[in-house]
Coordinates of all heavy atoms in Angstrom, one line a residue:
M150 N 1.9 -6.9 19.0 CA 2.2 -5.6 18.5 C 3.2 -5.7 17.3 O 4.1 -6.6 17.3 CB 2.9 -4.9 19.7 CG 3.1 -3.5 19.4 SD 3.5 -2.6 21.1 CE 4.3 -1.2 20.4
M151 N 3.1 -4.8 16.4 CA 3.9 -4.8 15.3 C 5.2 -4.2 15.6 O 5.4 -3.2 16.4 CB 3.2 -4.0 14.2 CG 2.1 -4.7 13.6 SD 1.2 -3.7 12.3 CE 2.4 -3.8 11.0
S152 N 6.3 -4.7 15.0 CA 7.6 -4.1 15.1 C 7.7 -2.8 14.4 O 6.8 -2.5 13.6 CB 8.7 -5.0 14.6 OG 8.6 -5.1 13.2
E153 N 8.7 -2.0 14.7 CA 8.9 -0.7 13.9 C 9.1 -1.0 12.5 O 8.6 -0.2 11.6 CB 10.0 0.0 14.5 CG 9.7 0.7 15.9 CD 10.8 1.6 16.4 OE1 11.3 2.4 15.6 OE2 11.0 1.6 17.6
K154 N 9.8 -2.0 12.2 CA 10.0 -2.4 10.7 C 8.7 -2.7 10.1 O 8.5 -2.2 8.9 CB 11.0 -3.6 10.6 CG 11.2 -4.0 9.2 CD 12.2 -5.2 9.0 CE 12.3 -5.6 7.7 NZ 13.0 -6.9 7.5
D155 N 7.8 -3.5 10.7 CA 6.5 -3.7 10.2 C 5.6 -2.5 10.0 O 4.9 -2.5 9.0 CB 5.8 -4.8 11.0 CG 6.5 -6.2 11.0 OD1 7.2 -6.5 9.9 OD2 6.2 -7.0 11.9
L156 N 5.7 -1.6 10.9 CA 5.0 -0.4 10.8 C 5.4 0.4 9.6 O 4.6 1.0 8.9 CB 5.1 0.4 12.1 CG 4.3 -0.2 13.4 CD1 4.8 0.6 14.6 CD2 2.9 -0.2 13.2
L157 N 6.8 0.5 9.5 CA 7.3 1.2 8.3 C 6.9 0.5 7.0 O 6.5 1.2 6.1 CB 8.9 1.3 8.4 CG 9.6 1.9 7.3 CD1 9.1 3.3 7.0 CD2 11.1 1.8 7.4
F158 N 6.9 -0.8 7.0 CA 6.6 -1.6 5.8 C 5.1 -1.2 5.4 O 4.9 -0.9 4.2 CB 6.8 -3.1 6.0 CG 6.4 -3.9 4.9 CD1 7.1 -4.1 3.8 CD2 5.1 -4.6 4.9 CE1 6.7 -4.9 2.7 CE2 4.7 -5.4 3.9 CZ 5.5 -5.4 2.8
T159 N 4.2 -1.3 6.4 CA 2.8 -0.9 6.1 C 2.7 0.5 5.6 O 1.9 0.7 4.6 CB 1.9 -1.1 7.4 OG1 2.2 -2.4 7.9 CG2 0.5 -0.8 7.2
K160 N 3.4 1.5 6.1 CA 3.4 2.8 5.7 C 3.9 2.9 4.3 O 3.3 3.6 3.4 CB 4.2 3.7 6.6 CG 4.2 5.1 6.2 CD 4.9 6.0 7.3 CE 5.1 7.4 7.0 NZ 4.0 8.2 6.4
L161 N 5.0 2.2 4.0 CA 5.6 2.2 2.6 C 4.6 1.6 1.6 O 4.5 2.1 0.4 CB 6.9 1.5 2.6 CG 8.1 2.2 3.3 CD1 9.2 1.3 3.5 CD2 8.5 3.5 2.7
I162 N 4.0 0.6 2.0 CA 3.0 0.0 1.0 C 1.9 1.0 0.7 O 1.5 1.2 -0.5 CB 2.3 -1.3 1.6 CG1 3.4 -2.4 1.7 CG2 1.0 -1.7 0.8 CD1 3.8 -3.0 0.4
G163 N 1.4 1.7 1.7 CA 0.4 2.7 1.5 C 0.8 3.9 0.6 O 0.1 4.3 -0.3
E164 N 2.1 4.3 0.9 CA 2.7 5.4 0.0 C 2.8 4.9 -1.5 O 2.5 5.7 -2.4 CB 4.1 5.8 0.5 CG 4.0 6.5 1.8 CD 5.3 6.8 2.4 OE1 6.4 6.4 1.9 OE2 5.3 7.4 3.5
K165 N 3.3 3.7 -1.7 CA 3.4 3.1 -3.0 C 2.0 3.0 -3.8 O 1.9 3.3 -4.9 CB 4.2 1.9 -3.0 CG 5.6 2.2 -2.6 CD 6.5 1.0 -2.7 CE 8.0 1.3 -2.3 NZ 8.5 2.4 -3.2
I166 N 1.0 2.6 -3.0 CA -0.3 2.5 -3.6 C -0.8 3.9 -4.0 O -1.4 4.1 -5.0 CB -1.3 1.7 -2.7 CG1 -0.8 0.3 -2.6 CG2 -2.7 1.9 -3.2 CD1 -1.6 -0.5 -1.6
R167 N -0.6 4.9 -3.1 CA -0.9 6.2 -3.4 C -0.3 6.8 -4.6 O -0.9 7.4 -5.5 CB -0.6 7.2 -2.2 CG -0.9 8.7 -2.6 CD -0.5 9.7 -1.5 NE -1.0 9.3 -0.2 CZ -0.3 9.1 0.9 NH1 1.0 9.1 0.9 NH2 -1.0 8.9 2.1
E168 N 1.0 6.5 -4.8 CA 1.8 6.9 -6.0 C 1.2 6.3 -7.2 O 1.0 7.0 -8.2 CB 3.2 6.5 -5.8 CG 4.0 7.2 -4.8 CD 5.4 6.6 -4.6 OE1 5.9 5.7 -5.3 OE2 6.1 7.1 -3.6
K169 N 0.8 5.0 -7.2 CA 0.2 4.4 -8.4 C -1.1 5.0 -8.7 O -1.5 5.3 -9.8 CB 0.0 2.9 -8.1 CG 1.3 2.1 -7.9 CD 2.1 2.1 -9.2 CE 3.3 1.2 -9.0 NZ 4.2 1.3 -10.1
R170 N -1.9 5.3 -7.7 CA -3.3 6.0 -7.8 C -3.1 7.4 -8.6 O -3.7 7.7 -9.5 CB -4.1 6.2 -6.5 CG -5.3 6.9 -6.7 CD -5.9 7.2 -5.4 NE -5.2 8.0 -4.4 CZ -5.1 9.3 -4.4 NH1 -5.7 10.0 -5.3 NH2 -4.4 9.9 -3.5
Q171 N -2.1 8.1 -8.0 CA -1.8 9.4 -8.6 C -1.3 9.3 -10.0 O -1.7 10.2 -10.8 CB -0.8 10.2 -7.6 CG -1.5 10.6 -6.3 CD -0.5 11.1 -5.3 OE1 0.7 11.0 -5.4 NE2 -1.0 11.9 -4.3
E172 N -0.6 8.4 -10.3 CA -0.1 8.1 -11.7 C -1.3 8.0 -12.7 O -1.2 8.3 -13.9 CB 0.9 7.0 -11.8 CG 2.2 7.2 -11.2 CD 3.1 6.0 -11.1 OE1 2.8 5.0 -11.7 OE2 4.1 6.0 -10.5
M173 N -2.3 7.3 -12.1 CA -3.5 7.0 -12.8 C -4.5 8.2 -12.9 O -5.5 8.2 -13.5 CB -4.2 5.8 -12.3 CG -3.5 4.5 -12.4 SD -4.4 3.3 -11.6 CE -3.2 2.0 -11.4
A174 N -4.1 9.3 -12.2 CA -4.9 10.5 -12.1 C -6.3 10.2 -11.5 O -7.3 10.8 -12.0 CB -5.0 11.2 -13.5
E175 N -6.4 9.4 -10.5 CA -7.7 9.0 -9.9 C -7.7 9.7 -8.6 O -6.8 9.9 -7.8 CB -7.7 7.4 -9.7 CG -7.7 6.6 -10.9 CD -9.1 6.2 -11.3 OE1 -10.1 6.6 -10.7 OE2 -9.1 5.4 -12.3
T176 N -9.0 10.0 -8.2 CA -9.2 10.6 -6.9 C -9.3 9.4 -6.0 O -9.5 8.2 -6.3 CB -10.6 11.4 -6.8 OG1 -11.6 10.4 -7.0 CG2 -10.6 12.5 -7.8
Q177 N -9.1 9.7 -4.6 CA -9.3 8.6 -3.6 C -10.7 8.0 -3.7 O -10.9 6.8 -3.6 CB -9.1 9.1 -2.2 CG -7.7 9.2 -1.8 CD -7.5 9.5 -0.3 OE1 -8.5 9.9 0.3 NE2 -6.3 9.2 0.2
D178 N -11.7 8.8 -3.9 CA -13.2 8.3 -4.1 C -13.3 7.4 -5.2 O -13.8 6.3 -5.0 CB -14.1 9.4 -4.2 CG -14.4 10.2 -2.9 OD1 -14.5 9.5 -1.8 OD2 -14.6 11.4 -2.9
A179 N -12.8 7.7 -6.4 CA -12.9 6.9 -7.6 C -12.1 5.6 -7.4 O -12.6 4.6 -7.9 CB -12.5 7.6 -8.8
F180 N -11.0 5.7 -6.8 CA -10.1 4.5 -6.6 C -10.8 3.6 -5.7 O -10.8 2.4 -5.9 CB -8.7 5.0 -6.2 CG -7.6 4.0 -6.6 CD1 -7.3 4.0 -8.0 CD2 -6.9 3.3 -5.7 CE1 -6.3 3.1 -8.4 CE2 -5.9 2.5 -6.1 CZ -5.6 2.3 -7.4
A181 N -11.3 4.1 -4.5 CA -11.9 3.3 -3.6 C -13.1 2.6 -4.2 O -13.4 1.4 -3.9 CB -12.4 4.1 -2.4
D182 N -13.9 3.3 -5.0 CA -15.0 2.8 -5.7 C -14.6 1.6 -6.6 O -15.3 0.5 -6.6 CB -15.8 3.8 -6.5 CG -17.1 3.4 -7.0 OD1 -17.9 2.8 -6.1 OD2 -17.4 3.6 -8.1
K183 N -13.5 1.8 -7.3 CA -13.0 0.8 -8.3 C -12.6 -0.5 -7.5 O -12.8 -1.6 -7.9 CB -11.8 1.3 -9.0 CG -11.3 0.5 -10.1 CD -10.1 1.0 -10.8 CE -10.4 2.2 -11.6 NZ -9.3 2.7 -12.4
L184 N -12.1 -0.3 -6.2 CA -11.7 -1.4 -5.4 C -12.9 -2.0 -4.6 O -12.7 -3.1 -4.0 CB -10.6 -1.0 -4.4 CG -9.3 -0.5 -5.1 CD1 -8.4 0.1 -4.0 CD2 -8.6 -1.6 -5.8
G185 N -14.0 -1.3 -4.6 CA -15.2 -1.8 -3.9 C -15.1 -1.7 -2.3 O -15.7 -2.5 -1.6
I186 N -14.4 -0.7 -1.9 CA -14.3 -0.4 -0.5 C -14.6 1.1 -0.3 O -14.6 1.9 -1.1 CB -12.8 -0.7 0.0 CG1 -11.7 0.2 -0.6 CG2 -12.5 -2.2 -0.1 CD1 -10.3 0.0 -0.1
H187 N -14.9 1.3 1.0 CA -15.3 2.7 1.5 C -14.0 3.5 1.4 O -12.9 3.1 1.6 CB -15.9 2.7 2.9 CG -16.5 4.0 3.2 ND1 -15.8 5.0 3.7 CD2 -17.8 4.3 3.2 CE1 -16.6 6.1 4.0 NE2 -17.8 5.7 3.6
V188 N -14.2 4.8 1.0 CA -13.1 5.7 0.8 C -12.3 5.9 2.2 O -11.1 6.1 2.1 CB -13.6 7.1 0.3 CG1 -14.4 7.9 1.3 CG2 -12.4 8.0 -0.2
N189 N -13.0 5.8 3.3 CA -12.2 5.9 4.6 C -11.3 4.7 4.7 O -10.2 4.8 5.3 CB -13.2 6.0 5.8 CG -14.0 7.3 5.8 OD1 -13.6 8.2 5.2 ND2 -15.0 7.3 6.6
N190 N -11.7 3.5 4.4 CA -10.9 2.3 4.4 C -9.7 2.5 3.4 O -8.6 2.1 3.8 CB -11.7 1.0 4.1 CG -12.7 0.7 5.1 OD1 -12.7 1.1 6.2 ND2 -13.7 -0.1 4.7
Y191 N -10.0 3.0 2.3 CA -8.9 3.2 1.3 C -7.9 4.3 1.9 O -6.7 4.1 1.8 CB -9.4 3.7 0.0 CG -8.3 3.9 -1.0 CD1 -7.6 2.8 -1.5 CD2 -7.8 5.2 -1.3 CE1 -6.5 3.1 -2.3 CE2 -6.7 5.5 -2.1 CZ -6.1 4.4 -2.6 OH -4.9 4.6 -3.4
G192 N -8.4 5.3 2.5 CA -7.5 6.3 3.1 C -6.6 5.8 4.2 O -5.4 6.1 4.2
N193 N -7.1 4.8 4.9 CA -6.4 4.2 6.0 C -5.2 3.3 5.3 O -4.1 3.2 5.9 CB -7.2 3.2 6.8 CG -8.0 3.9 7.8 OD1 -7.7 5.1 8.1 ND2 -9.2 3.3 8.2
I194 N -5.5 2.8 4.1 CA -4.4 2.0 3.4 C -3.3 2.9 3.0 O -2.1 2.7 3.2 CB -5.0 1.3 2.2 CG1 -5.9 0.1 2.7 CG2 -3.9 0.7 1.3 CD1 -6.7 -0.6 1.6
E195 N -3.7 4.1 2.4 CA -2.7 5.1 1.9 C -1.9 5.6 3.0 O -0.7 5.9 2.8 CB -3.4 6.2 1.1 CG -3.7 5.8 -0.3 CD -4.0 7.1 -1.2 OE1 -3.9 8.2 -0.7 OE2 -4.3 6.9 -2.3
R196 N -2.5 5.8 4.2 CA -1.8 6.4 5.3 C -1.0 5.4 6.1 O -0.2 5.7 7.0 CB -2.8 7.1 6.3 CG -3.3 8.4 5.7 CD -4.1 9.2 6.7 NE -5.1 8.4 7.4 CZ -6.4 8.2 6.9 NH1 -6.6 8.7 5.7 NH2 -7.2 7.4 7.5
G197 N -1.1 4.2 5.6 CA -0.4 3.1 6.3 C -0.9 2.7 7.6 O -0.2 2.0 8.4
V198 N -2.2 2.9 7.8 CA -2.9 2.5 9.1 C -3.2 0.9 8.9 O -3.0 0.2 9.9 CB -4.1 3.3 9.3 CG1 -4.9 2.7 10.5 CG2 -3.8 4.7 9.6
N199 N -3.6 0.6 7.8 CA -3.9 -0.8 7.5 C -3.3 -1.2 6.1 O -3.1 -0.5 5.2 CB -5.4 -1.0 7.4 CG -6.3 -0.7 8.6 OD1 -5.8 -1.0 9.7 ND2 -7.3 -0.1 8.4
L200 N -3.0 -2.6 6.1 CA -2.6 -3.2 4.8 C -3.9 -3.6 4.1 O -5.0 -3.8 4.7 CB -1.8 -4.4 5.0 CG -0.3 -4.2 5.4 CD1 0.3 -5.5 5.9 CD2 0.4 -3.6 4.4
P201 N -3.9 -3.5 2.7 CA -5.2 -4.0 2.0 C -5.4 -5.5 2.3 O -4.5 -6.3 2.5 CB -4.8 -3.8 0.6 CG -3.3 -3.7 0.5 CD -2.8 -3.2 1.8
G202 N -6.7 -5.8 2.3 CA -7.1 -7.2 2.5 C -6.9 -8.0 1.3 O -6.6 -7.5 0.2
G203 N -7.2 -9.3 1.4 CA -7.1 -10.2 0.2 C -7.9 -9.7 -1.0 O -7.4 -9.7 -2.1
Q204 N -9.2 -9.5 -0.9 CA -10.0 -9.1 -2.0 C -9.5 -7.8 -2.5 O -9.6 -7.6 -3.8 CB -11.5 -9.0 -1.6 CG -12.2 -10.3 -1.3 CD -12.1 -11.2 -2.6 OE1 -12.4 -10.7 -3.7 NE2 -11.8 -12.5 -2.5
T205 N -9.1 -6.9 -1.7 CA -8.5 -5.6 -2.2 C -7.3 -5.7 -3.0 O -7.1 -5.1 -4.0 CB -8.4 -4.6 -1.0 OG1 -9.6 -4.4 -0.3 CG2 -7.9 -3.2 -1.5
I206 N -6.4 -6.6 -2.5 CA -5.2 -7.0 -3.2 C -5.5 -7.5 -4.6 O -4.9 -7.1 -5.6 CB -4.3 -7.9 -2.5 CG1 -3.7 -7.2 -1.3 CG2 -3.2 -8.5 -3.4 CD1 -3.0 -8.1 -0.3
I207 N -6.5 -8.4 -4.7 CA -6.9 -9.0 -6.0 C -7.4 -7.9 -6.9 O -7.0 -7.8 -8.1 CB -8.0 -10.0 -5.8 CG1 -7.3 -11.3 -5.1 CG2 -8.6 -10.4 -7.1 CD1 -8.3 -12.3 -4.6
R208 N -8.2 -6.9 -6.4 CA -8.7 -5.8 -7.2 C -7.6 -4.8 -7.6 O -7.7 -4.3 -8.7 CB -9.8 -5.1 -6.5 CG -11.1 -6.0 -6.4 CD -12.2 -5.3 -5.7 NE -13.3 -6.2 -5.4 CZ -13.8 -6.5 -4.2 NH1 -13.2 -5.8 -3.1 NH2 -14.7 -7.4 -4.0
L209 N -6.6 -4.6 -6.7 CA -5.5 -3.8 -7.1 C -4.8 -4.3 -8.3 O -4.3 -3.6 -9.2 CB -4.6 -3.6 -5.9 CG -5.0 -2.6 -4.8 CD1 -4.2 -2.9 -3.5 CD2 -4.9 -1.3 -5.3
I210 N -4.7 -5.6 -8.3 CA -4.0 -6.3 -9.5 C -4.9 -6.3 -10.7 O -4.5 -5.9 -11.8 CB -3.7 -7.7 -9.1 CG1 -2.6 -7.7 -7.9 CG2 -3.1 -8.5 -10.3 CD1 -2.4 -9.1 -7.3
T211 N -6.2 -6.8 -10.5 CA -7.0 -7.0 -11.8 C -7.7 -5.8 -12.3 O -7.8 -5.7 -13.5 CB -8.1 -8.1 -11.4 OG1 -8.9 -7.7 -10.4 CG2 -7.5 -9.5 -11.1
K212 N -8.1 -4.9 -11.4 CA -8.8 -3.7 -11.8 C -7.9 -2.5 -12.1 O -8.4 -1.5 -12.8 CB -10.0 -3.4 -10.9 CG -11.0 -4.5 -10.9 CD -12.2 -4.1 -10.1 CE -13.2 -5.2 -10.0 NZ -14.5 -4.9 -10.5
C213 N -6.8 -2.5 -11.4 CA -5.9 -1.3 -11.4 C -4.6 -1.6 -12.0 O -3.8 -0.6 -12.3 CB -5.7 -0.8 -10.0 SG -7.2 -0.4 -9.2
G214 N -4.3 -2.8 -12.3 CA -3.1 -3.2 -13.0 C -1.8 -3.0 -12.2 O -0.8 -2.8 -12.8
I215 N -2.0 -3.0 -10.9 CA -0.8 -2.8 -10.0 C 0.0 -4.0 -9.8 O -0.6 -5.0 -9.5 CB -1.3 -2.1 -8.7 CG1 -1.8 -0.7 -9.0 CG2 -0.1 -2.0 -7.7 CD1 -2.3 0.0 -7.8
D216 N 1.2 -4.0 -10.0 CA 2.1 -5.2 -9.8 C 2.4 -5.2 -8.3 O 3.4 -4.6 -7.9 CB 3.4 -5.1 -10.6 CG 4.2 -6.3 -10.5 OD1 4.2 -7.1 -9.5 OD2 5.1 -6.5 -11.4
M217 N 1.6 -6.0 -7.6 CA 1.8 -6.1 -6.1 C 3.1 -6.7 -5.7 O 3.7 -6.3 -4.7 CB 0.6 -6.7 -5.5 CG -0.7 -6.0 -5.5 SD -0.6 -4.3 -4.8 CE -0.5 -4.8 -3.0
T218 N 3.6 -7.6 -6.4 CA 4.9 -8.3 -6.1 C 6.0 -7.2 -6.1 O 6.8 -7.1 -5.2 CB 5.2 -9.4 -7.1 OG1 4.2 -10.4 -7.0 CG2 6.5 -10.1 -6.7
E219 N 6.1 -6.5 -7.2 CA 7.0 -5.4 -7.3 C 6.9 -4.4 -6.2 O 7.9 -4.0 -5.5 CB 6.9 -4.7 -8.7 CG 7.9 -3.5 -8.9 CD 7.7 -2.8 -10.2 OE1 7.4 -3.5 -11.2 OE2 7.9 -1.6 -10.3
L220 N 5.6 -3.9 -5.9 CA 5.4 -3.0 -4.9 C 5.9 -3.5 -3.5 O 6.5 -2.8 -2.8 CB 3.9 -2.7 -4.9 CG 3.4 -1.6 -4.1 CD1 2.3 -0.8 -4.8 CD2 2.8 -2.0 -2.7
V221 N 5.5 -4.8 -3.2 CA 6.0 -5.3 -1.9 C 7.5 -5.5 -1.8 O 8.0 -5.1 -0.8 CB 5.2 -6.7 -1.7 CG1 5.8 -7.4 -0.5 CG2 3.7 -6.5 -1.5
L222 N 8.1 -5.9 -2.9 CA 9.6 -6.1 -2.8 C 10.3 -4.7 -2.7 O 11.3 -4.6 -2.0 CB 10.1 -6.8 -4.1 CG 9.7 -8.3 -4.3 CD1 10.1 -8.8 -5.6 CD2 10.3 -9.1 -3.1
E223 N 9.7 -3.6 -3.3 CA 10.3 -2.3 -3.2 C 10.1 -1.8 -1.7 O 11.1 -1.3 -1.1 CB 9.6 -1.3 -4.1 CG 10.0 -1.5 -5.6 CD 9.2 -0.6 -6.5 OE1 8.4 0.3 -5.9 OE2 9.3 -0.7 -7.7
A224 N 8.9 -2.0 -1.1 CA 8.7 -1.6 0.2 C 9.6 -2.4 1.2 O 10.1 -1.8 2.1 CB 7.2 -1.7 0.6
D225 N 9.7 -3.7 1.0 CA 10.5 -4.5 1.8 C 12.0 -4.0 1.8 O 12.6 -4.0 2.8 CB 10.4 -5.9 1.4 CG 11.1 -6.9 2.4 OD1 10.8 -6.8 3.6 OD2 12.0 -7.6 2.0
A226 N 12.6 -3.8 0.6 CA 13.9 -3.3 0.4 C 14.1 -2.0 1.2 O 15.1 -1.9 1.9 CB 14.3 -3.2 -1.0
E227 N 13.2 -1.1 1.1 CA 13.3 0.2 1.8 C 13.3 0.0 3.3 O 14.1 0.6 4.0 CB 12.2 1.1 1.4 CG 12.4 1.7 -0.1 CD 11.3 2.7 -0.4 OE1 10.8 3.4 0.4 OE2 10.8 2.6 -1.6
A228 N 12.4 -0.8 3.8 CA 12.3 -1.1 5.2 C 13.6 -1.8 5.8 O 14.1 -1.5 6.8 CB 11.1 -2.0 5.5
K229 N 14.2 -2.7 4.9 CA 15.4 -3.4 5.3 C 16.6 -2.4 5.4 O 17.6 -2.5 6.2 CB 15.7 -4.5 4.4 CG 14.9 -5.7 4.6 CD 15.2 -6.8 3.6 CE 14.4 -8.0 4.0 NZ 14.6 -9.1 3.0
R230 N 16.6 -1.4 4.6 CA 17.6 -0.3 4.6 C 17.6 0.5 5.9 O 18.6 0.9 6.5 CB 17.5 0.6 3.4 CG 18.1 0.1 2.1 CD 18.4 1.1 1.1 NE 17.1 1.7 0.5 CZ 16.3 1.1 -0.4 NH1 16.8 0.0 -1.0 NH2 15.3 1.7 -0.9
V231 N 16.3 0.7 6.4 CA 16.1 1.5 7.6 C 16.4 0.6 8.8 O 17.0 1.0 9.8 CB 14.8 2.1 7.7 CG1 14.5 2.7 9.0 CG2 14.5 3.1 6.6
F232 N 16.0 -0.7 8.8 CA 16.2 -1.7 9.8 C 17.0 -2.9 9.4 O 16.4 -4.0 9.3 CB 14.8 -2.1 10.4 CG 14.0 -1.0 11.1 CD1 13.0 -0.4 10.3 CD2 14.3 -0.6 12.2 CE1 12.3 0.6 10.9 CE2 13.5 0.4 12.9 CZ 12.5 1.1 12.1
P233 N 18.3 -2.7 9.1 CA 19.0 -3.8 8.5 C 19.2 -5.0 9.4 O 19.4 -6.1 9.0 CB 20.3 -3.2 8.1 CG 20.5 -2.0 9.0 CD 19.1 -1.5 9.2
E234 N 19.1 -4.8 10.7 CA 19.4 -5.9 11.7 C 18.2 -6.8 11.8 O 18.3 -7.9 12.3 CB 19.7 -5.3 13.0 CG 18.6 -4.6 13.8 CD 18.3 -3.2 13.3 OE1 19.0 -2.6 12.5 OE2 17.3 -2.6 13.7
E235 N 17.0 -6.4 11.4 CA 15.8 -7.3 11.5 C 15.6 -8.0 10.2 O 15.7 -7.5 9.1 CB 14.5 -6.4 11.8 CG 14.6 -5.7 13.1 CD 13.3 -5.0 13.4 OE1 12.3 -5.4 13.0 OE2 13.4 -3.9 14.1
E236 N 15.4 -9.3 10.3 CA 15.0 -10.1 9.1 C 13.7 -10.8 9.2 O 13.2 -11.1 10.2 CB 16.1 -11.1 8.8 CG 17.3 -10.4 8.2 CD 17.2 -9.8 6.9 OE1 16.5 -10.4 6.0 OE2 17.7 -8.7 6.7

């Protein structure tokens, strides 16, 4: 079972990916198509239900120009502010 911090981290990753998609003025359908995944799977990522898999991460970087390192570090810092006692 995932800790509350891990659940928050997954949700934050999804929110940050959504923000990047919206900055690109892409619909969920178009973005999912660009990533080669079903729109329902992409929606689960945005809602924080699932983290993107390996191939999706590669496509987020190569096809969408998203800096995943920056995105992960930002989400991790936010999660640590909410759950400072967990490392």
Side-chain angles (χ1 to χ4, degrees):
M150 186 167 160
M151 290 176 67
S152 70
E153 287 190 40
K154 180 182 175 188
D155 290 339
L156 291 171
L157 175 61
F158 177 79
T159 302
K160 181 174 172 49
L161 291 168
I162 290 290
E164 288 174 1
K165 292 188 177 300
I166 292 172
R167 177 186 301 124
E168 289 169 8
K169 297 293 185 184
R170 174 185 61 80
Q171 290 172 337
E172 287 172 11
M173 296 176 195
E175 296 263 4
T176 64
Q177 279 190 342
D178 282 324
F180 209 68
D182 192 48
K183 190 182 285 189
L184 296 174
I186 61 175
H187 192 277
V188 68
N189 291 347
N190 293 339
Y191 178 73
N193 285 338
I194 292 169
E195 279 198 1
R196 286 189 306 281
V198 174
N199 297 322
L200 286 169
Q204 288 298 316
T205 302
I206 290 172
I207 291 168
R208 291 181 191 120
L209 283 164
I210 296 166
T211 61
K212 295 186 181 240
C213 304
I215 293 177
D216 183 342
M217 291 301 292
T218 301
E219 179 182 324
L220 190 141
V221 167
L222 290 174
E223 288 175 5
D225 186 56
E227 288 181 40
K229 283 180 180 174
R230 279 194 293 276
V231 175
F232 296 100
E234 69 284 351
E235 293 185 34
E236 285 296 321

